[in-house]
Amino acid sequence: MSLARRHLLGLEGVSAQEITTILDTAESLKEISARPIKKVPTLRGKTVVHFFYEPSTRTRTSFELAAKRLSADTVSLSASTSSLTKGETLIDTAKNLQAMSPDLIVMRHSMSGAPHLLARHIPCSIINAGDGTHEHPSQGLLDLLTIRQTKGRLDGLKVSIIGDITHSRVARSDIIGLNTMGSAVTVYGPNTLLPPQVESLGVSVAGSMTEAVAQADVVIMLRVQKERLSDVLFPSLREYAQRFGLGLKHLAQAKPDVVVMHPGPINRGVELSPEVADGPCSVILDQVANGVAVRMALLYLLIGSEAA
Amino acid sequence: MSGQGDILLKGGRLLCPATGRDETGDLLISGGRIAAVGGELAAEGAQAIPCAGLVVAPGLIDLHVHLREPGHEYKETIASGTAAAAAGGFTAVCCMPNTKPVNDCRAVTEMILERAAKKGSARVYPVGAITPGLQGQGLTEMAELAEAGCVAVSDDGRPVPNARLLRRAMEYATGFGLPVVCHSEELSLSAAGVMHEGPTSTRLGLAGIPAQAEVIAIERDLALASLTGARVHIAHVSCAGSVAAIARAKDAGLKVSAETAPHYLTLCDQDVGEYDTHRKMNPPLRSAADRQAVRRALAQGVLDAVATDHAPHSVLEKELEFDQASFGVVGLETALGVMLELVAESVLTLPQLIERMSAAPAAILGLPGGRLAAGGPADVTVIATDSPWVVEPGKFKSLSANTPFAGRSLPGRAVLTICGGRITHRLAQEG
């Protein structure tokens, strides 16, 4: 099994069949993380570079564990330790990395399109681990896996994504992936945090929290980035929590089997009340566990299959 | 009358919208001037150039280029930029003041003109700054700038944010016959945007620049034109709202003119594709509907002229993350070819195209040329309208290759450019 692509820069353009292959592979690799010895030799001799231009804890840890569980050699670079701080351009840094013959680069960058630039200049595989406010495809895939596990399917589901859609790369990847798999996506948030002509992404826009939650099979809450306050995109965290935060009162009006997701890290008491975050509807920690499995699947399918 | 250095263009289609001439005939150049136009001419000793099947037009004039010298000679120089102009069929260019140092005083203006006289392949008309250093505060010594040779004033790329100051600039400039060229942009609205705000910016996760950032600023600048009676020229119009505002101002009798650029007429925001920094400019490529409105406005004359906004950048400014890349594209060597696409698509007639690129710009800034008339300057462009070629940035005379049209097949081009009676470009016969 493999994918007919060298890179994963986004879920845009990734077919339903490819997504199914990735999710099926992730399912089959999941059990490795449950073994006492959590390691298989699949990627022995392969080199994976984790190239993080932007701080990240969970995505980076998740990718590193995924690579290590497949026995790849891994190197980590972060902005503070790389030549970036010495004024080297992205392309120069990448060409230097390429000269050391990595098989795959996992890249996180604060600017949209940075991995696309890299992909135009170096031949090795690239996984976009989040670029600016564009996409975060591995997060999108782990969300799809989590939904498929809890609901048994993706086709015909109603998914609501609530919060800062404009600045969320998770939202874009979720929307694209869910649309590809046949789910119907609704978004809701303050108008200042909905991107221009958001319907063009293939979503409908809810008019209230109640409307957003009422018919949903899945509710994905997005993190409020506090720096958006200084940009005056909403007046206060207090009002945000009151109007756009998810609490038990909303779940009382929702479908009984609704599940709640969040890409983390959570602002407890802002977008999610603690009762919801820790309650029975929450599958947030399943998402984290699935993250490792999905990333193992991506590494395997992009660089491991010919050696397997 | 005839003698050494004279040029006789034989049997071309003499196309001069300013004088209404459109007929097959000869054109004789002598002593840097047009000696005779029309009919069958003979001149002993003159270099005869057969032009059958070609269009003989007034030399093209570009109201809006960045020559980068002084200060950014690795992107472009006066020599390379005017060579690019000649290769594109232009005989005159107006260069914007955002050099380093800024063209905000007599010394810089004179230096530009001296270098252009020495090394230039086209006439160079400097545009002086409105505020010293383009800092948006105070006024430059405009009387002296005009005396030194500036043909207009502009803080291009750095619009004057303060309405009261811009009012003063318009009033003051008018006293010395200087038009004010406005790069109209409401900076507080365009803010951190890097492309047109719309479905494509949403898809790519890039911060958008709404069309209204341009419209609001144009409305302000037109209101100030009304207040002051100044001659105001609106640069690089890109969207439908701007066109409507300009049409209203013209209907109201204001002395305003406006230009757009070939890329706004032929590309749109979707063409940014996968973060193509060669399609990043300011104002940005707008929606397909905006493009349609700009096309119509150019055909109807609401927009008077086509200017390139030739903005050379090296790979240092362009091979970067989209957010980091500089705004701007080169245009001198592709403008005519791209505009001929619009003729092929019947958006414009050929006479309209020539008018928008010669007579109109000459009229807007009161420049010589723009017409084929005996006694006038011998600025002539000979065009093959049906001679397809493919844009290869590596062959540009410009020092920079940041074109959005690389690899595009264009219907025609300038085969011969004559500036002041001197051949500044002649396309080698391809065999």
Side-chain angles (χ1 to χ4, degrees), chain B residues 34-187:
Chain B
I34 295 175
V37 198
E40 196 162 329
L41 303 172
E44 242 176 79
Q47 178 188 3
I49 299 178
C51 292
L54 301 173
V55 172
V56 177
L60 306 181
I61 299 171
D62 192 339
L63 291 173
H64 197 140
V65 307
H66 299 270
L67 291 178
R68 302 300 189 209
E69 184 179 355
H72 301 108
E73 291 84 355
Y74 68 99
K75 300 184 185 190
E76 197 77 289
T77 63
I78 291 167
S80 69
T82 55
F90 291 94
T91 54
V93 296
C94 301
C95 60
M96 288 296 159
N98 61 339
T99 46
K100 194 175 176 182
V102 168
N103 183 11
D104 59 5
C105 63
R106 176 196 285 275
V108 178
T109 304
E110 287 180 345
M111 192 221 72
I112 291 169
L113 288 171
E114 271 168 35
R115 292 197 188 170
K118 215 178 286 177
K119 298 178 181 171
S121 304
R123 298 179 198 274
V124 172
Y125 297 108
V127 175
I130 293 173
T131 68
L134 305 175
Q135 293 299 304
Q137 286 175 359
L139 293 177
T140 55
E141 294 176 343
M142 293 181 190
E144 197 161 87
L145 285 172
E147 197 176 81
C150 284
V151 295
V153 288
S154 179
D155 270 7
D156 182 57
R158 302 274 295 274
V160 179
N162 184 309
R164 184 161 169 267
L165 179 62
L166 186 57
R167 172 203 181 157
R168 297 288 182 239
M170 286 183 182
E171 289 172 339
Y172 193 78
T174 303
F176 303 99
L178 286 171
V180 176
V181 178
C182 292
H183 166 125
S184 301
E185 177 183 359
E186 175 52 51
L187 295 169

Side-chain angles (χ1 to χ4, degrees), chain A residues 12 53 89-91 109 111-114 116-117 120-121 131 133-134 172 195-198 200-201, chain B residues 196-207 274-277 316 318-324:
Chain A
E12 189 181 310
Y53 268 63
T89 68
L90 175 61
I91 291 173
H109 199 286
M111 290 177 206
S112 302
H116 305 68
L117 177 67
R120 280 198 286 274
H121 283 89
D131 63 322
T133 54
H134 178 229
R172 271 181 193 67
Q197 302 180 50
V198 62
S200 66
L201 291 174
Chain B
H196 176 60
E197 179 174 305
T200 304
S201 68
T202 288
R203 178 177 77 84
L204 294 174
L206 293 171
E274 294 298 316
Y275 305 97
D276 185 349
T277 59
L316 297 175
K318 283 295 192 181
E319 281 198 357
L320 295 173
E321 299 87 332
F322 197 88
D323 284 337
Q324 300 276 65

Side-chain angles (χ1 to χ4, degrees), chain A residues 144-196:
Chain A
L144 292 178
L145 182 61
T146 306
I147 296 170
R148 198 176 78 167
Q149 275 174 2
T150 48
K151 296 290 173 187
R153 66 192 167 103
L154 290 165
D155 188 39
L157 292 179
K158 290 186 173 154
V159 181
S160 289
I161 304 177
I162 297 169
D164 180 358
I165 311 293
T166 300
H167 303 96
S168 175
R169 50 198 174 210
V170 177
R172 271 181 193 67
S173 288
D174 279 348
I175 290 166
I176 295 165
L178 287 163
N179 277 337
T180 302
M181 300 311 288
S183 306
V185 183
T186 297
V187 298
Y188 182 63
N191 287 338
T192 45
L193 294 176
L194 300 181

